Structures are given as structure tokens and as C-alpha cells.
Amino acid sequence: EKILLKAVASNSTHPYSKKIYQLLKKESTSNIELDFIEEVRGKGIHASFNGNTLLMGNQSFIEEYSNITLENSESLNSHVHILINNEYKGFFSFDNRIREGLPSLIKKLKLKYPIRLLSGDNKKDGDKLIELFDGWKNMYFNQTPQQKLEFVDTLSSQNEKVLMIGDGLNDAGALKSSSFGISISDKTSSFSPACDGILASDNLRNFDKLLDFSHTSIRIIIASFVLSLIYNITGLGFAITGHLSPLVAAILMPLSSVSVMVFTTVLTRIQAKKLGLKIWA
């Protein structure tokens, strides 16, 4: 049973599946090739091997795909229930912890932007976050991937610019539909949902600096275009009045591009240094 469970967990990118896989890492799966596996986003996994069936997921998923009714838990932890051959085997309990640096980040972002939380976890987890999000009105729990997508689409239809941050396949639709989607990954080399950017989880605490840097970079780009326009209009005036020879004009033209590149690069690096960010060329 442990070998089958590990084989199923290894085929999922969900954070809980990864943790289960790590717990069962010593179990051998060399001889297991699953006959069937289906992951229902936001709910769980249904798999089979040699006539054995396994269900792994939340309470609603287990009850939907079996004839078993589970007792509601009063625990604040999230549970992943296991059902093998229609026999309930128990559950894994996960203590949902707030990512390091997230509380201070949310406090900074709230000063400039409206912040909302969409989570597939139980509403009980909101007790840890209620102060950060100024009450329940900005937190939505037990959200399916479709509900997250619809929430983002509703904001977009109201001409809102939506930046979505997610860390799993459950957020894939919302990430793609948002104005800009960022996937949080513990390993940037691992698979991530389709999005506009990937951010290493240990850098999430600096996300406010990244936003400030993005706004500054846009201003620098606009300034570089203005500088280029002034440079070329001035050069054109001298050329029309005959004050520049063809040779001098040929030398000054590429200098326009070089000057804009130097201007943009220097200012960008200075701003990044002020914010404590590193830029690799």
C-alpha cells in the first residue's frame, strides 16, 4: 500500500503530494507502472494498479468517488484522505504555515493595492490570516480552480488590472487569465503552470521591491525614448541647416543608440542597487 501511495504521489505536483512522497521516499517503486491516474484539480487523485484502486484527496473528493461518508474534523490542519480498494486507510494531516516574510509583505502591499486571498484550503485557515487581510471580506476559501478563474475574470471585466500569484496547478487558469501571472516555485527548474513569470519561493518576501523596480523601469524606458527623441530632433535640425557633414552625421547616428543604452543600463542598475536587488547581465 505504501509503495502504491508513493507511486501516485510522485506523479503529482501538488504541494501535499510532494510532502507525502518525501515521507515515503525510502519505499521502492521500481516495479510500479500505474495503469491509470487522473488528478482532479483542487480535489484529489484517482489511480489504479493491477486491479487495486486508490483515492487520495480532500473529504469532498473521497465522498464523491466512493460510498464512504467521513466525519468533519475540527482541526485547523488540512487533511489528505486515503482510500484503497474502497477501504478507508486514514489521512495525512498538514499544518498550514504562513510563508516566511509573507505577513510583512502583505502589510506593505496593502498600502498601495487592494489584496485578496483565494484558497482551496479550509476556511479554518483564515483564523491565522484574518488580521493581515482586514477581515473575512477579502478572503475566499474552499475555492475550486474554476472559481478562482471566474473571480479573476470578474475583476478583469471591471477593467481592473489583476496580478495573480499562485503556487500550484489549481491556480493555472487564474494565472493565465490575469493581467500578469506569477508562479511561486520552491525549485525554479521544476514544472510550473503557464504564467508570465516564475518567482523562487524564498524571494517572495522581496516582491514589493520587485513591483517598485518594475514601475521605476517603465519610467526609465519612457525617459530613454524622450532622450532619444530630443537627440534626433536636435541632430536633424543641424543636418537640415547644413551644420553637419555626412561623415559627422554618420558617426553621431550610432552614438544615439549607444547613449540611450548606457542611460537605461546605468539608471536601472542604480535603482536596483537602492532596492537591494541583483541584476545579472
Side-chain angles (χ1 to χ4, degrees), residues 37-169:
I37 182 169
E38 178 187 15
E39 183 166 2
V40 181
R41 291 188 301 178
K43 292 187 176 182
I45 301 174
H46 179 207
S48 65
F49 171 73
N50 282 351
N52 298 298
T53 60
L54 180 143
L55 293 176
M56 180 173 73
N58 59 29
Q59 180 175 340
S60 63
F61 176 77
I62 297 296
E63 293 177 344
E64 179 181 351
Y65 284 80
S66 70
N67 57 2
I68 292 178
T69 301
L70 302 176
E71 294 183 4
N72 292 322
S73 172
E74 297 299 326
S75 172
L76 294 178
N77 294 355
S78 293
H79 295 160
V80 176
H81 300 274
I82 308 297
L83 198 72
I84 298 179
N85 294 328
N86 208 41
E87 181 181 350
Y88 185 66
K89 297 296 182 178
F91 59 85
F92 290 90
S93 180
F94 296 96
D95 180 14
N96 293 324
R97 299 179 180 178
I98 300 176
R99 287 183 181 271
E100 185 178 353
L102 185 61
S104 60
L105 172 63
I106 293 177
K107 290 178 181 178
K108 293 176 183 176
L109 293 179
K110 283 195 306 183
L111 299 176
K112 300 179 180 179
Y113 313 98
I115 306 293
R116 299 177 180 88
L117 172 69
L118 303 177
S119 175
D121 294 329
N122 196 292
K123 189 175 181 180
K124 296 174 183 177
D125 294 321
D127 293 336
K128 306 174 184 178
L129 303 167
I130 189 168
E131 292 185 3
L132 287 177
F133 287 90
D134 300 327
W136 294 102
K137 61 180 180 179
N138 295 319
M139 297 191 295
Y140 303 83
F141 290 93
N142 299 313
Q143 295 288 295
T144 65
Q146 182 62 30
Q147 287 175 319
K148 292 181 180 181
L149 172 59
E150 291 173 354
F151 189 92
V152 171
D153 286 342
T154 299
L155 291 178
S156 298
S157 66
Q158 299 171 356
N159 296 322
E160 297 280 355
K161 299 294 183 181
V162 182
L163 188 151
M164 172 73 182
I165 301 176
D167 61 359
L169 284 175

Side-chain angles (χ1 to χ4, degrees), residues 13 41-42 144-146 148-150 152-153 164-178 180-184 191-196:
T13 59
R41 291 188 301 178
T144 65
Q146 182 62 30
K148 292 181 180 181
L149 172 59
E150 291 173 354
V152 171
D153 286 342
M164 172 73 182
I165 301 176
D167 61 359
L169 284 175
N170 297 338
D171 306 311
L175 286 169
K176 188 174 181 180
S177 180
S178 61
F180 195 91
I182 296 179
S183 176
I184 302 297
F191 171 79
S192 296
C195 55
D196 299 293

Side-chain angles (χ1 to χ4, degrees), residues 208-225:
D208 60 313
K209 295 180 181 179
L210 178 61
L211 287 178
D212 291 341
F213 179 68
S214 299
H215 288 303
T216 301
S217 296
I218 292 296
R219 290 194 291 268
I220 291 175
I221 292 173
I222 294 174
S224 68
F225 278 117

Side-chain angles (χ1 to χ4, degrees), residues 230-262:
I230 294 174
Y231 186 100
N232 283 281
I233 290 177
T234 302
L236 182 62
F238 279 102
I240 292 176
T241 56
H243 290 84
L244 290 179
S245 66
L247 177 60
V248 174
I251 295 174
L252 291 180
M253 271 306 296
L255 285 179
S256 170
S257 299
V258 172
S259 62
V260 169
M261 290 177 59
V262 171

